Amino acid sequence: MKRIFFLLSVILPAWMTAWAEAPNRSDSPWFAAPYTGEKVKEYELTLPVSRYEEETFVIPRDCKKLNSRLLAGAGHWGNRVQRRLWLKADDDCRYLNYLKQNPHRGDKDFVSDYDFMNARIADLPLRPGCDLYVLLRDPQSCPEPLPGMPDFTMFMMHREHHPQEADNDDCRFENGVFRGSIYPTPEGIVCRKDPRAPGYRILSVDYADVNGDGYLDAVLRLTTIGRRASRPELLVLPLTRFSANEPFTIPKGAEYPRMGPTNEGWIY
């Protein structure tokens, strides 16, 4: 399955600037309006559904109708920008469904008071599904990164290349952005921030109990940034914890559903 990308000139620039804001604590997430990146609760989109027909969708109100048209093959119509917008609207609909798949809000909350826009890297799963200390001791024993989730080990450098200026205080996001290198040491990790290096930007933070275990989860939407991220990728990272004094983990059974174009057509 291919990853879902958006055209740089259509969606991401304004979104990346406008969305580095406080986490969303409301019941409905914000979306980026097509073309402008404006932060909105809903947006209108007109797309081709056949060679000669167009249809207008209000997202997220018309998510079921949009999904029906995609299953009928409408996502193949239109120019490159329009086909990317089919993907964007579908991804926004699936993201909303993901947040609302469990109707009950978790009553045990150890996530909403955390400042994810300035999160410590050590508090996050460097490789989802692998404990930080296991990763530092035996990285080969860790599973491959899950599709659609960020993998901070892409920034990890060999220990022997550890520079003197690397600092543990640099191992954090700053206003939703981390760009730099991560170095493993016997005491944990240290980092060297570099504005020219690749990295991640946190676009939004929402809250829901995505796996229905009674614990509130934080759901981060991120994108890759930097020179090596010539095709920015949208990623979803669900996080939970069971006390206020432990790192975050991926909620069990909380994998994010992905859909994308393949050679055979659209698949879920």
Side-chain angles (χ1 to χ4, degrees):
M1 182 185 299
K2 294 181 180 179
R3 303 290 180 87
I4 296 177
F5 298 105
F6 299 94
L7 291 178
L8 283 170
S9 61
V10 177
I11 297 168
L12 280 178
W15 190 352
M16 291 165 63
T17 300
W19 279 53
E21 301 180 3
N24 177 34
R25 298 171 188 271
S26 69
D27 291 333
S28 178
W30 295 94
F31 300 104
Y35 304 106
T36 68
E38 181 185 0
K39 193 175 181 181
V40 296
K41 287 291 186 181
E42 67 176 27
Y43 59 87
E44 187 175 291
L45 195 61
T46 300
L47 293 169
V49 293
S50 70
R51 188 180 301 276
Y52 304 109
E53 295 177 286
E54 291 185 336
E55 193 163 352
T56 298
F57 305 90
V58 177
I59 304 300
R61 188 183 70 197
D62 293 334
C63 279
K64 288 185 178 179
K65 182 171 73 170
L66 181 112
N67 181 62
S68 176
R69 300 297 183 269
L70 282 171
L71 289 174
H76 293 292
W77 293 105
N79 58 34
R80 189 183 179 194
V81 171
Q82 291 168 322
R83 292 195 300 271
R84 295 292 184 181
L85 290 174
W86 275 113
L87 287 172
K88 174 202 163 24
D90 177 67
D91 191 62
D92 286 343
C93 288
R94 283 181 294 109
Y95 181 68
L96 178 63
N97 288 338
Y98 180 73
L99 293 179
K100 294 182 174 296
Q101 62 185 336
N102 175 41
H104 303 292
R105 184 179 176 89
D107 57 358
K108 302 179 184 69
D109 177 8
F110 298 105
V111 295
S112 66
D113 288 336
Y114 187 88
D115 181 8
F116 287 99
M117 303 304 284
N118 296 284
R120 295 174 63 247
I121 301 296
D123 287 345
L124 306 177
L126 286 177
R127 171 72 63 83
C130 187
D131 179 84
L132 169 62
Y133 299 103
V134 174
L135 180 65
L136 295 178
R137 289 195 307 268
D138 184 18
Q140 299 301 320
S141 67
C142 290
E144 289 297 312
L146 298 173
M149 289 191 183
D151 176 18
F152 289 92
T153 58
M154 65 183 286
F155 308 122
M156 290 187 72
M157 304 297 176
H158 294 296
R159 186 179 303 172
E160 57 267 23
H161 296 156
H162 174 201
Q164 293 297 320
E165 62 269 24
D167 194 329
N168 185 263
D169 289 340
D170 284 339
C171 283
R172 66 171 59 246
F173 279 81
E174 186 174 349
N175 296 323
V177 175
F178 174 79
R179 299 178 71 161
S181 302
I182 299 173
Y183 299 88
T185 74
E187 293 76 32
I189 59 172
V190 294
C191 301
R192 179 176 178 270
K193 286 187 175 178
D194 181 353
R196 297 169 297 179
Y200 288 123
R201 182 187 298 273
I202 299 173
L203 299 174
S204 64
V205 183
D206 293 289
Y207 298 98
D209 182 5
V210 294
N211 63 344
D213 65 354
Y215 286 85
L216 189 65
D217 308 311
V219 184
L220 282 58
R221 295 183 94 179
L222 305 92
T223 185
T224 51
I225 54 175
R227 290 181 180 177
R228 285 189 286 175
S230 57
R231 300 173 66 191
E233 182 179 6
L234 288 181
L235 305 163
V236 174
L237 179 63
L239 297 170
T240 197
R241 61 180 177 180
F242 307 106
S243 76
N245 300 311
E246 62 181 83
F248 293 95
T249 59
I250 307 298
K252 290 185 177 180
E255 291 79 7
Y256 184 67
R258 292 261 159 202
M259 181 181 126
T262 69
N263 294 332
E264 292 75 34
W266 288 78
I267 63 171
Y268 281 98

PDB file of all heavy atoms in Angstrom, residues 16 152 154-157 170 173 177-183 191-201 223-230:
ATOM      1  N   MET A  16       0.934  23.758   7.476  1.00  0.00           N
ATOM      2  CA  MET A  16       2.066  23.613   8.369  1.00  0.00           C
ATOM      3  C   MET A  16       2.305  24.879   9.176  1.00  0.00           C
ATOM      4  O   MET A  16       2.791  24.842  10.296  1.00  0.00           O
ATOM      5  CB  MET A  16       3.315  23.246   7.567  1.00  0.00           C
ATOM      6  CG  MET A  16       3.234  21.838   6.985  1.00  0.00           C
ATOM      7  SD  MET A  16       4.461  21.519   5.716  1.00  0.00           S
ATOM      8  CE  MET A  16       5.975  21.695   6.644  1.00  0.00           C
ATOM      9  N   PHE A 152      11.044   7.679  14.865  1.00  0.00           N
ATOM     10  CA  PHE A 152      12.126   8.586  15.217  1.00  0.00           C
ATOM     11  C   PHE A 152      13.511   7.956  15.066  1.00  0.00           C
ATOM     12  O   PHE A 152      14.512   8.664  15.097  1.00  0.00           O
ATOM     13  CB  PHE A 152      11.935   9.083  16.654  1.00  0.00           C
ATOM     14  CG  PHE A 152      10.793  10.048  16.808  1.00  0.00           C
ATOM     15  CD1 PHE A 152       9.530   9.590  17.139  1.00  0.00           C
ATOM     16  CD2 PHE A 152      10.963  11.398  16.583  1.00  0.00           C
ATOM     17  CE1 PHE A 152       8.462  10.461  17.263  1.00  0.00           C
ATOM     18  CE2 PHE A 152       9.908  12.283  16.707  1.00  0.00           C
ATOM     19  CZ  PHE A 152       8.646  11.817  17.050  1.00  0.00           C
ATOM     20  N   MET A 154      14.737   7.022  12.473  1.00  0.00           N
ATOM     21  CA  MET A 154      15.328   7.504  11.223  1.00  0.00           C
ATOM     22  C   MET A 154      16.325   8.631  11.487  1.00  0.00           C
ATOM     23  O   MET A 154      17.176   8.933  10.651  1.00  0.00           O
ATOM     24  CB  MET A 154      14.237   7.991  10.269  1.00  0.00           C
ATOM     25  CG  MET A 154      13.470   9.206  10.750  1.00  0.00           C
ATOM     26  SD  MET A 154      12.127   9.714   9.633  1.00  0.00           S
ATOM     27  CE  MET A 154      13.070  10.456   8.305  1.00  0.00           C
ATOM     28  N   PHE A 155      16.252   9.259  12.677  1.00  0.00           N
ATOM     29  CA  PHE A 155      17.184  10.330  13.022  1.00  0.00           C
ATOM     30  C   PHE A 155      18.333   9.842  13.898  1.00  0.00           C
ATOM     31  O   PHE A 155      19.174  10.637  14.296  1.00  0.00           O
ATOM     32  CB  PHE A 155      16.439  11.457  13.767  1.00  0.00           C
ATOM     33  CG  PHE A 155      15.218  11.943  13.060  1.00  0.00           C
ATOM     34  CD1 PHE A 155      13.972  11.898  13.663  1.00  0.00           C
ATOM     35  CD2 PHE A 155      15.297  12.452  11.774  1.00  0.00           C
ATOM     36  CE1 PHE A 155      12.841  12.348  13.017  1.00  0.00           C
ATOM     37  CE2 PHE A 155      14.166  12.896  11.110  1.00  0.00           C
ATOM     38  CZ  PHE A 155      12.937  12.847  11.733  1.00  0.00           C
ATOM     39  N   MET A 156      18.343   8.551  14.241  1.00  0.00           N
ATOM     40  CA  MET A 156      19.366   8.046  15.155  1.00  0.00           C
ATOM     41  C   MET A 156      20.691   7.857  14.434  1.00  0.00           C
ATOM     42  O   MET A 156      20.760   7.297  13.347  1.00  0.00           O
ATOM     43  CB  MET A 156      18.901   6.747  15.816  1.00  0.00           C
ATOM     44  CG  MET A 156      17.774   6.956  16.812  1.00  0.00           C
ATOM     45  SD  MET A 156      17.337   5.480  17.760  1.00  0.00           S
ATOM     46  CE  MET A 156      18.765   5.357  18.835  1.00  0.00           C
ATOM     47  N   MET A 157      21.781   8.342  15.069  1.00  0.00           N
ATOM     48  CA  MET A 157      23.128   8.256  14.522  1.00  0.00           C
ATOM     49  C   MET A 157      23.947   7.249  15.317  1.00  0.00           C
ATOM     50  O   MET A 157      23.595   6.889  16.449  1.00  0.00           O
ATOM     51  CB  MET A 157      23.799   9.642  14.562  1.00  0.00           C
ATOM     52  CG  MET A 157      23.012  10.715  13.851  1.00  0.00           C
ATOM     53  SD  MET A 157      22.851  10.355  12.072  1.00  0.00           S
ATOM     54  CE  MET A 157      21.801  11.695  11.543  1.00  0.00           C
ATOM     55  N   ASP A 170      18.139  19.293  24.064  1.00  0.00           N
ATOM     56  CA  ASP A 170      17.682  19.463  22.680  1.00  0.00           C
ATOM     57  C   ASP A 170      16.736  18.362  22.237  1.00  0.00           C
ATOM     58  O   ASP A 170      16.210  18.413  21.115  1.00  0.00           O
ATOM     59  CB  ASP A 170      18.882  19.495  21.723  1.00  0.00           C
ATOM     60  CG  ASP A 170      19.610  20.827  21.768  1.00  0.00           C
ATOM     61  OD1 ASP A 170      18.993  21.820  22.210  1.00  0.00           O
ATOM     62  OD2 ASP A 170      20.782  20.879  21.369  1.00  0.00           O
ATOM     63  N   PHE A 173      10.478  18.540  21.071  1.00  0.00           N
ATOM     64  CA  PHE A 173       9.849  19.395  20.075  1.00  0.00           C
ATOM     65  C   PHE A 173       9.850  20.832  20.597  1.00  0.00           C
ATOM     66  O   PHE A 173       9.845  21.062  21.809  1.00  0.00           O
ATOM     67  CB  PHE A 173       8.407  18.962  19.824  1.00  0.00           C
ATOM     68  CG  PHE A 173       8.267  17.794  18.889  1.00  0.00           C
ATOM     69  CD1 PHE A 173       8.460  16.495  19.343  1.00  0.00           C
ATOM     70  CD2 PHE A 173       7.949  17.993  17.554  1.00  0.00           C
ATOM     71  CE1 PHE A 173       8.335  15.413  18.482  1.00  0.00           C
ATOM     72  CE2 PHE A 173       7.814  16.926  16.688  1.00  0.00           C
ATOM     73  CZ  PHE A 173       8.023  15.635  17.147  1.00  0.00           C
ATOM     74  N   VAL A 177       7.776  21.373  16.425  1.00  0.00           N
ATOM     75  CA  VAL A 177       8.773  20.999  15.429  1.00  0.00           C
ATOM     76  C   VAL A 177       9.994  20.355  16.082  1.00  0.00           C
ATOM     77  O   VAL A 177      10.500  20.842  17.098  1.00  0.00           O
ATOM     78  CB  VAL A 177       9.227  22.231  14.613  1.00  0.00           C
ATOM     79  CG1 VAL A 177      10.365  21.855  13.659  1.00  0.00           C
ATOM     80  CG2 VAL A 177       8.061  22.819  13.843  1.00  0.00           C
ATOM     81  N   PHE A 178      10.456  19.241  15.495  1.00  0.00           N
ATOM     82  CA  PHE A 178      11.763  18.675  15.839  1.00  0.00           C
ATOM     83  C   PHE A 178      12.517  18.399  14.548  1.00  0.00           C
ATOM     84  O   PHE A 178      12.025  17.686  13.669  1.00  0.00           O
ATOM     85  CB  PHE A 178      11.643  17.376  16.633  1.00  0.00           C
ATOM     86  CG  PHE A 178      12.989  16.727  16.854  1.00  0.00           C
ATOM     87  CD1 PHE A 178      13.836  17.194  17.846  1.00  0.00           C
ATOM     88  CD2 PHE A 178      13.424  15.684  16.046  1.00  0.00           C
ATOM     89  CE1 PHE A 178      15.095  16.628  18.035  1.00  0.00           C
ATOM     90  CE2 PHE A 178      14.674  15.111  16.225  1.00  0.00           C
ATOM     91  CZ  PHE A 178      15.512  15.583  17.210  1.00  0.00           C
ATOM     92  N   ARG A 179      13.717  18.974  14.435  1.00  0.00           N
ATOM     93  CA  ARG A 179      14.609  18.714  13.308  1.00  0.00           C
ATOM     94  C   ARG A 179      16.016  18.544  13.881  1.00  0.00           C
ATOM     95  O   ARG A 179      16.508  19.400  14.612  1.00  0.00           O
ATOM     96  CB  ARG A 179      14.604  19.870  12.305  1.00  0.00           C
ATOM     97  CG  ARG A 179      13.256  20.127  11.688  1.00  0.00           C
ATOM     98  CD  ARG A 179      13.260  21.307  10.735  1.00  0.00           C
ATOM     99  NE  ARG A 179      13.982  21.000   9.500  1.00  0.00           N
ATOM    100  CZ  ARG A 179      13.825  21.715   8.379  1.00  0.00           C
ATOM    101  NH1 ARG A 179      12.997  22.734   8.345  1.00  0.00           N
ATOM    102  NH2 ARG A 179      14.502  21.383   7.297  1.00  0.00           N
ATOM    103  N   GLY A 180      16.652  17.413  13.577  1.00  0.00           N
ATOM    104  CA  GLY A 180      17.993  17.197  14.099  1.00  0.00           C
ATOM    105  C   GLY A 180      18.383  15.733  14.094  1.00  0.00           C
ATOM    106  O   GLY A 180      17.832  14.926  13.342  1.00  0.00           O
ATOM    107  N   SER A 181      19.321  15.395  14.966  1.00  0.00           N
ATOM    108  CA  SER A 181      19.846  14.033  15.072  1.00  0.00           C
ATOM    109  C   SER A 181      19.710  13.534  16.501  1.00  0.00           C
ATOM    110  O   SER A 181      19.778  14.316  17.458  1.00  0.00           O
ATOM    111  CB  SER A 181      21.323  13.994  14.651  1.00  0.00           C
ATOM    112  OG  SER A 181      21.479  14.472  13.332  1.00  0.00           O
ATOM    113  N   ILE A 182      19.519  12.218  16.643  1.00  0.00           N
ATOM    114  CA  ILE A 182      19.383  11.572  17.945  1.00  0.00           C
ATOM    115  C   ILE A 182      20.554  10.604  18.117  1.00  0.00           C
ATOM    116  O   ILE A 182      20.849   9.815  17.222  1.00  0.00           O
ATOM    117  CB  ILE A 182      18.047  10.822  18.048  1.00  0.00           C
ATOM    118  CG1 ILE A 182      16.879  11.801  17.879  1.00  0.00           C
ATOM    119  CG2 ILE A 182      17.929  10.081  19.380  1.00  0.00           C
ATOM    120  CD1 ILE A 182      15.520  11.129  17.795  1.00  0.00           C
ATOM    121  N   TYR A 183      21.213  10.668  19.284  1.00  0.00           N
ATOM    122  CA  TYR A 183      22.379   9.820  19.542  1.00  0.00           C
ATOM    123  C   TYR A 183      22.119   8.960  20.776  1.00  0.00           C
ATOM    124  O   TYR A 183      21.816   9.481  21.855  1.00  0.00           O
ATOM    125  CB  TYR A 183      23.621  10.677  19.773  1.00  0.00           C
ATOM    126  CG  TYR A 183      23.989  11.530  18.589  1.00  0.00           C
ATOM    127  CD1 TYR A 183      23.438  12.807  18.447  1.00  0.00           C
ATOM    128  CD2 TYR A 183      24.862  11.074  17.613  1.00  0.00           C
ATOM    129  CE1 TYR A 183      23.757  13.601  17.353  1.00  0.00           C
ATOM    130  CE2 TYR A 183      25.189  11.864  16.518  1.00  0.00           C
ATOM    131  CZ  TYR A 183      24.638  13.124  16.395  1.00  0.00           C
ATOM    132  OH  TYR A 183      24.953  13.905  15.304  1.00  0.00           O
ATOM    133  N   CYS A 191      20.529  14.742  21.819  1.00  0.00           N
ATOM    134  CA  CYS A 191      20.151  15.195  20.490  1.00  0.00           C
ATOM    135  C   CYS A 191      20.944  16.441  20.097  1.00  0.00           C
ATOM    136  O   CYS A 191      21.457  17.182  20.942  1.00  0.00           O
ATOM    137  CB  CYS A 191      18.658  15.538  20.431  1.00  0.00           C
ATOM    138  SG  CYS A 191      17.571  14.147  20.858  1.00  0.00           S
ATOM    139  N   ARG A 192      21.013  16.641  18.813  1.00  0.00           N
ATOM    140  CA  ARG A 192      21.605  17.859  18.259  1.00  0.00           C
ATOM    141  C   ARG A 192      20.595  18.443  17.284  1.00  0.00           C
ATOM    142  O   ARG A 192      20.311  17.857  16.245  1.00  0.00           O
ATOM    143  CB  ARG A 192      22.916  17.555  17.539  1.00  0.00           C
ATOM    144  CG  ARG A 192      23.583  18.777  16.912  1.00  0.00           C
ATOM    145  CD  ARG A 192      24.926  18.390  16.305  1.00  0.00           C
ATOM    146  NE  ARG A 192      25.558  19.529  15.666  1.00  0.00           N
ATOM    147  CZ  ARG A 192      25.392  19.872  14.388  1.00  0.00           C
ATOM    148  NH1 ARG A 192      24.595  19.129  13.614  1.00  0.00           N
ATOM    149  NH2 ARG A 192      26.003  20.916  13.881  1.00  0.00           N
ATOM    150  N   LYS A 193      20.033  19.581  17.627  1.00  0.00           N
ATOM    151  CA  LYS A 193      19.062  20.219  16.755  1.00  0.00           C
ATOM    152  C   LYS A 193      19.771  20.848  15.558  1.00  0.00           C
ATOM    153  O   LYS A 193      20.889  21.360  15.675  1.00  0.00           O
ATOM    154  CB  LYS A 193      18.269  21.288  17.521  1.00  0.00           C
ATOM    155  CG  LYS A 193      17.246  20.704  18.478  1.00  0.00           C
ATOM    156  CD  LYS A 193      16.365  21.773  19.082  1.00  0.00           C
ATOM    157  CE  LYS A 193      15.270  21.143  19.949  1.00  0.00           C
ATOM    158  NZ  LYS A 193      14.414  22.158  20.590  1.00  0.00           N
ATOM    159  N   ASP A 194      19.113  20.778  14.412  1.00  0.00           N
ATOM    160  CA  ASP A 194      19.688  21.306  13.184  1.00  0.00           C
ATOM    161  C   ASP A 194      18.542  21.776  12.299  1.00  0.00           C
ATOM    162  O   ASP A 194      17.766  20.955  11.797  1.00  0.00           O
ATOM    163  CB  ASP A 194      20.508  20.224  12.473  1.00  0.00           C
ATOM    164  CG  ASP A 194      21.163  20.734  11.198  1.00  0.00           C
ATOM    165  OD1 ASP A 194      20.881  21.876  10.795  1.00  0.00           O
ATOM    166  OD2 ASP A 194      21.947  19.972  10.601  1.00  0.00           O
ATOM    167  N   PRO A 195      18.378  23.092  12.095  1.00  0.00           N
ATOM    168  CA  PRO A 195      17.253  23.593  11.295  1.00  0.00           C
ATOM    169  C   PRO A 195      17.290  23.149   9.845  1.00  0.00           C
ATOM    170  O   PRO A 195      16.289  23.262   9.131  1.00  0.00           O
ATOM    171  CB  PRO A 195      17.379  25.120  11.414  1.00  0.00           C
ATOM    172  CG  PRO A 195      18.820  25.363  11.757  1.00  0.00           C
ATOM    173  CD  PRO A 195      19.227  24.194  12.596  1.00  0.00           C
ATOM    174  N   ARG A 196      18.432  22.620   9.379  1.00  0.00           N
ATOM    175  CA  ARG A 196      18.537  22.150   7.995  1.00  0.00           C
ATOM    176  C   ARG A 196      18.295  20.652   7.875  1.00  0.00           C
ATOM    177  O   ARG A 196      18.253  20.106   6.770  1.00  0.00           O
ATOM    178  CB  ARG A 196      19.920  22.492   7.437  1.00  0.00           C
ATOM    179  CG  ARG A 196      20.197  23.987   7.360  1.00  0.00           C
ATOM    180  CD  ARG A 196      21.650  24.262   7.057  1.00  0.00           C
ATOM    181  NE  ARG A 196      22.513  23.767   8.126  1.00  0.00           N
ATOM    182  CZ  ARG A 196      23.839  23.859   8.127  1.00  0.00           C
ATOM    183  NH1 ARG A 196      24.451  24.398   7.084  1.00  0.00           N
ATOM    184  NH2 ARG A 196      24.543  23.393   9.134  1.00  0.00           N
ATOM    185  N   ALA A 197      18.168  19.977   9.012  1.00  0.00           N
ATOM    186  CA  ALA A 197      17.989  18.520   9.009  1.00  0.00           C
ATOM    187  C   ALA A 197      16.522  18.158   8.787  1.00  0.00           C
ATOM    188  O   ALA A 197      15.625  18.975   8.996  1.00  0.00           O
ATOM    189  CB  ALA A 197      18.480  17.930  10.320  1.00  0.00           C
ATOM    190  N   PRO A 198      16.255  16.915   8.360  1.00  0.00           N
ATOM    191  CA  PRO A 198      14.860  16.467   8.284  1.00  0.00           C
ATOM    192  C   PRO A 198      14.268  16.319   9.674  1.00  0.00           C
ATOM    193  O   PRO A 198      14.990  16.266  10.678  1.00  0.00           O
ATOM    194  CB  PRO A 198      14.967  15.113   7.567  1.00  0.00           C
ATOM    195  CG  PRO A 198      16.351  14.645   7.865  1.00  0.00           C
ATOM    196  CD  PRO A 198      17.202  15.871   7.934  1.00  0.00           C
ATOM    197  N   GLY A 199      12.958  16.263   9.747  1.00  0.00           N
ATOM    198  CA  GLY A 199      12.313  16.123  11.044  1.00  0.00           C
ATOM    199  C   GLY A 199      10.817  15.948  10.897  1.00  0.00           C
ATOM    200  O   GLY A 199      10.307  15.576   9.839  1.00  0.00           O
ATOM    201  N   TYR A 200      10.118  16.219  12.001  1.00  0.00           N
ATOM    202  CA  TYR A 200       8.657  16.100  12.042  1.00  0.00           C
ATOM    203  C   TYR A 200       8.050  17.405  12.536  1.00  0.00           C
ATOM    204  O   TYR A 200       8.629  18.102  13.380  1.00  0.00           O
ATOM    205  CB  TYR A 200       8.224  14.989  13.002  1.00  0.00           C
ATOM    206  CG  TYR A 200       8.484  13.584  12.515  1.00  0.00           C
ATOM    207  CD1 TYR A 200       9.250  12.700  13.267  1.00  0.00           C
ATOM    208  CD2 TYR A 200       7.947  13.127  11.320  1.00  0.00           C
ATOM    209  CE1 TYR A 200       9.483  11.400  12.842  1.00  0.00           C
ATOM    210  CE2 TYR A 200       8.175  11.836  10.884  1.00  0.00           C
ATOM    211  CZ  TYR A 200       8.936  10.980  11.641  1.00  0.00           C
ATOM    212  OH  TYR A 200       9.157   9.700  11.206  1.00  0.00           O
ATOM    213  N   ARG A 201       6.861  17.704  12.030  1.00  0.00           N
ATOM    214  CA  ARG A 201       6.051  18.799  12.559  1.00  0.00           C
ATOM    215  C   ARG A 201       4.724  18.225  13.037  1.00  0.00           C
ATOM    216  O   ARG A 201       4.068  17.480  12.304  1.00  0.00           O
ATOM    217  CB  ARG A 201       5.791  19.872  11.489  1.00  0.00           C
ATOM    218  CG  ARG A 201       4.970  21.063  12.021  1.00  0.00           C
ATOM    219  CD  ARG A 201       4.577  22.017  10.910  1.00  0.00           C
ATOM    220  NE  ARG A 201       5.731  22.606  10.269  1.00  0.00           N
ATOM    221  CZ  ARG A 201       6.355  23.702  10.683  1.00  0.00           C
ATOM    222  NH1 ARG A 201       5.915  24.324  11.775  1.00  0.00           N
ATOM    223  NH2 ARG A 201       7.398  24.179  10.033  1.00  0.00           N
ATOM    224  N   THR A 223       3.601  15.611  10.093  1.00  0.00           N
ATOM    225  CA  THR A 223       4.098  15.519   8.730  1.00  0.00           C
ATOM    226  C   THR A 223       5.620  15.563   8.756  1.00  0.00           C
ATOM    227  O   THR A 223       6.219  16.135   9.677  1.00  0.00           O
ATOM    228  CB  THR A 223       3.560  16.672   7.849  1.00  0.00           C
ATOM    229  OG1 THR A 223       3.978  16.462   6.500  1.00  0.00           O
ATOM    230  CG2 THR A 223       4.081  18.021   8.306  1.00  0.00           C
ATOM    231  N   THR A 224       6.239  14.925   7.777  1.00  0.00           N
ATOM    232  CA  THR A 224       7.685  14.992   7.633  1.00  0.00           C
ATOM    233  C   THR A 224       8.067  16.342   7.035  1.00  0.00           C
ATOM    234  O   THR A 224       7.355  16.902   6.209  1.00  0.00           O
ATOM    235  CB  THR A 224       8.188  13.870   6.718  1.00  0.00           C
ATOM    236  OG1 THR A 224       7.418  13.878   5.508  1.00  0.00           O
ATOM    237  CG2 THR A 224       8.024  12.510   7.386  1.00  0.00           C
ATOM    238  N   ILE A 225       9.212  16.880   7.468  1.00  0.00           N
ATOM    239  CA  ILE A 225       9.712  18.148   6.946  1.00  0.00           C
ATOM    240  C   ILE A 225      11.209  18.025   6.701  1.00  0.00           C
ATOM    241  O   ILE A 225      11.876  17.140   7.227  1.00  0.00           O
ATOM    242  CB  ILE A 225       9.435  19.326   7.908  1.00  0.00           C
ATOM    243  CG1 ILE A 225       9.988  19.020   9.307  1.00  0.00           C
ATOM    244  CG2 ILE A 225       7.955  19.632   7.990  1.00  0.00           C
ATOM    245  CD1 ILE A 225       9.854  20.180  10.277  1.00  0.00           C
ATOM    246  N   GLY A 226      11.739  18.913   5.884  1.00  0.00           N
ATOM    247  CA  GLY A 226      13.171  18.915   5.600  1.00  0.00           C
ATOM    248  C   GLY A 226      13.465  18.554   4.163  1.00  0.00           C
ATOM    249  O   GLY A 226      12.590  18.130   3.407  1.00  0.00           O
ATOM    250  N   ARG A 227      14.713  18.706   3.783  1.00  0.00           N
ATOM    251  CA  ARG A 227      15.119  18.496   2.391  1.00  0.00           C
ATOM    252  C   ARG A 227      14.845  17.078   1.916  1.00  0.00           C
ATOM    253  O   ARG A 227      14.484  16.852   0.769  1.00  0.00           O
ATOM    254  CB  ARG A 227      16.610  18.808   2.239  1.00  0.00           C
ATOM    255  CG  ARG A 227      16.931  20.296   2.382  1.00  0.00           C
ATOM    256  CD  ARG A 227      18.410  20.552   2.194  1.00  0.00           C
ATOM    257  NE  ARG A 227      18.724  21.966   2.331  1.00  0.00           N
ATOM    258  CZ  ARG A 227      19.953  22.453   2.262  1.00  0.00           C
ATOM    259  NH1 ARG A 227      20.973  21.635   2.074  1.00  0.00           N
ATOM    260  NH2 ARG A 227      20.162  23.754   2.400  1.00  0.00           N
ATOM    261  N   ARG A 228      15.060  16.098   2.795  1.00  0.00           N
ATOM    262  CA  ARG A 228      14.843  14.717   2.380  1.00  0.00           C
ATOM    263  C   ARG A 228      13.372  14.339   2.382  1.00  0.00           C
ATOM    264  O   ARG A 228      13.002  13.251   1.976  1.00  0.00           O
ATOM    265  CB  ARG A 228      15.640  13.766   3.278  1.00  0.00           C
ATOM    266  CG  ARG A 228      17.126  13.773   2.970  1.00  0.00           C
ATOM    267  CD  ARG A 228      17.829  12.677   3.722  1.00  0.00           C
ATOM    268  NE  ARG A 228      17.959  12.990   5.134  1.00  0.00           N
ATOM    269  CZ  ARG A 228      18.461  12.139   6.038  1.00  0.00           C
ATOM    270  NH1 ARG A 228      18.844  10.938   5.657  1.00  0.00           N
ATOM    271  NH2 ARG A 228      18.569  12.491   7.301  1.00  0.00           N
ATOM    272  N   ALA A 229      12.526  15.246   2.874  1.00  0.00           N
ATOM    273  CA  ALA A 229      11.081  15.000   2.877  1.00  0.00           C
ATOM    274  C   ALA A 229      10.454  15.765   1.722  1.00  0.00           C
ATOM    275  O   ALA A 229       9.580  16.602   1.896  1.00  0.00           O
ATOM    276  CB  ALA A 229      10.467  15.431   4.206  1.00  0.00           C
ATOM    277  N   SER A 230      10.936  15.496   0.500  1.00  0.00           N
ATOM    278  CA  SER A 230      10.450  16.237  -0.664  1.00  0.00           C
ATOM    279  C   SER A 230       8.979  15.948  -0.948  1.00  0.00           C
ATOM    280  O   SER A 230       8.308  16.715  -1.607  1.00  0.00           O
ATOM    281  CB  SER A 230      11.293  15.893  -1.897  1.00  0.00           C
ATOM    282  OG  SER A 230      11.262  14.494  -2.143  1.00  0.00           O
TER     283      SER A 230
END
